[in-house]
Structures are given as structure tokens and as C-alpha cells.
Amino acid sequence: MTLLTLTRDGTPTDLPGLLIVHGLFGSARNWGAIAKRMSDSRSVVSVDMRNHADSFWDDEHSYPAMAADLATVIEAEGAPMDVMGHSMGGKAAMLLALTRPDLVNRLVVGDIAPVAYTHTQNHLVEAMQAMDLTGIESRREADARLSQSVDTPAVRAFLLQSLDLKPEPARWKLNLDVLSRSMEQIIGWVDTTALTSFEGPVLFLSGAESDYVQREARPGILSLFPEAKFAKIPGAGHWLHAEKPREFEAALRVFLD
């Protein structure tokens, strides 16, 4: 039994099921359109990761813990799956493939590399924590309040998908305290020296306008994923699935089918 909340689309076919794993501050809901479109030929399971959306909250938010959560989901499905993870979800999916290769057919890693980064996202955590949630009755009102500390409309729109307006006051469906404390782990990576490489097919799919997957990371990637292929989506940044959804979907189909 898994404790993660799952969203299901489509029905099982001869193709392996697809597991979609969102990134930091995300949810299965963010991937709804792509999941529904991909489900025309296979079953698709999208997860809410721990400390996000409708899944459980826990004091631990490490990649070994997240990879173990994903392993439990696939074991419950009863057969290996194709796995697509974006950003934080991509790191969790990579560690899943390295530690439980028996559960992963093909792996797609969305705009992230198996390296430690330096760009903390705690400024966004602090913006959400500082926002006055009392009396908010609409998304427009929430956006106006968040705009006092977050300038970019697209980033506000993304974060506000995790704001539940139904209770009074409204509440964030993110365990912000734990995510803040765990930020070094989230932007970091794990020691893989004791792990053997994943020999299955892997696609590192990046946004051409993003700097998350640098060319100098490729030797390290290939040491862990010797069958890795690399592709970029023109005109897309880090949120490539949101900025270029049709192109992202097309790349998924070519690789997975």
C-alpha cells in the first residue's frame, strides 16, 4: 500500500504504464493535461509527492525517501513502469532507477541533472509563509497579495495552484516548514559511489532556454545512465512541460512508444 495520493488516467494496454512525478511545489494536477493526452495509448499514474498537495506530510524529505515512495507505487501496480520525473521529481526518479532498476522500463528526466545545485528556492517558501491568508476569497485576490513578494506572474500562478481557498483562512497544501528545512537536500544530490549504473533507456529532456543541464554534467550522467540520450525543446525554459506542452508530449511519445 502506498501513502502517496495518485491520479489515474486511461486503462492498461500492451504498453507499460507511465508514472509522472512532479517537481518542487508541484502536484499531479500540474500534469493533468499531459497525463490525459498520454493516456490515449496506456495507463498513466500521476503522484502527489510527500509534503505536497494531497499526499502525507513527513519530517523527512530526502531523495532516498522519495525514491522509496515511488517504488511502493510501482510495486502496487504489479509491473515495471515507464517513469517521467521533472526537476525534484526527476532526481527522485533517477534514484529510483539506480536503486530499483527492476521497477523501471524507460526513464525520462525533465530538465534536471544528477548534480547538486546552488539556487535555493527558500525565497519562495518565505514568500508563501509571509503571505496573509485571512479573508482571501478568490485567486485574483491571492495573486495580488503574493505579487508583493513574487514578481513573476507565471511563478505566482504555479505556486497558487497549491493554495486551498476552501477553508477559512485559506491554507497552503505544501509542508513549507519541512521543505524549507530540507532545501539543501532538495537542491543537492546523493552519494552514488556505491550504486551500479542503470542500463535501461533514458532520455534527458531539457528546455533549450534553461541552464539546469549543463554540457559538463554529461560525463557524470553517462557514468550513471550509459544509455542516456539528450534532447532540448526550443524556446522552453525549466518549466518545459508548461511552456511547450505539445512539444513535450511529442518528445515523450517518440521515446516511450
Side-chain angles (χ1 to χ4, degrees):
M1 187 181 84
T2 177
L3 296 173
L4 296 185
T5 300
L6 311 179
T7 300
R8 296 181 181 276
D9 292 284
T11 55
T13 67
D14 292 340
L15 292 173
L18 173 62
L19 181 67
I20 295 180
V21 191
H22 67 78
L24 180 64
F25 307 139
S27 66
R29 177 185 168 192
N30 302 150
W31 289 85
I34 285 175
K36 283 185 171 59
R37 292 182 62 81
M38 292 298 295
S39 72
D40 65 353
S41 58
R42 67 177 75 224
S43 64
V44 179
V45 176
S46 308
V47 299
D48 287 338
M49 297 293 274
R50 60 171 55 209
N51 295 313
H52 287 72
D54 293 322
S55 280
F56 69 100
W57 285 18
D58 191 85
D59 285 341
E60 183 175 5
H61 199 84
S62 67
Y63 286 113
M66 287 185 269
D69 291 342
L70 299 178
T72 303
V73 171
I74 298 178
E75 286 173 337
E77 294 299 300
M81 299 181 74
D82 292 339
V83 181
M84 195 294 304
H86 173 252
S87 201
M88 178 193 78
K91 285 187 169 180
M94 283 189 279
L95 190 58
L96 169 69
L98 292 168
T99 54
R100 293 296 307 273
D102 55 306
L103 298 179
V104 180
N105 285 315
R106 290 173 174 265
L107 174 64
V108 180
V109 181
D111 208 65
I112 203 75
V115 300
Y117 293 85
T118 57
H119 51 264
T120 176
Q121 302 293 337
N122 267 339
H123 62 291
L124 296 178
V125 173
E126 291 162 6
M128 288 184 277
Q129 288 175 321
M131 182 173 153
D132 180 10
L133 300 177
T134 55
I136 295 177
E137 296 181 352
S138 69
R139 294 277 161 197
R140 178 175 293 183
E141 192 175 348
D143 181 70
R145 293 193 192 184
L146 193 57
S147 70
Q148 296 170 19
S149 52
V150 179
D151 293 333
T152 310
V155 173
R156 294 198 303 272
F158 170 67
L159 295 177
L160 288 172
Q161 288 189 44
S162 292
L163 182 65
D164 187 356
L165 295 178
K166 288 175 187 164
E168 173 56 44
R171 69 178 187 94
W172 291 105
K173 296 172 73 171
L174 297 165
N175 191 345
L176 294 171
D177 290 341
V178 166
L179 294 178
S180 177
R181 289 201 304 269
S182 306
M183 192 60 66
E184 288 300 312
Q185 292 181 79
I186 294 169
I187 66 174
W189 182 230
V190 295
D191 181 0
T192 57
T193 51
L195 300 177
T196 56
S197 60
F198 176 71
E199 302 297 325
V202 185
L203 175 64
F204 281 80
L205 184 59
S206 305
E209 307 299 318
S210 170
D211 59 2
Y212 274 65
V213 183
Q214 299 282 351
R215 184 165 288 276
E216 48 265 36
R218 288 195 179 188
I221 290 172
L222 289 168
S223 70
L224 294 173
F225 304 100
E227 297 301 314
K229 301 287 189 290
F230 299 87
K232 290 183 181 291
I233 296 180
H238 182 60
W239 306 101
L240 62 176
H241 60 291
E243 296 166 25
K244 299 287 184 180
R246 291 304 176 96
E247 292 86 345
F248 186 90
E249 176 199 336
L252 272 188
R253 289 186 189 277
V254 168
F255 181 71
L256 297 180
D257 294 352

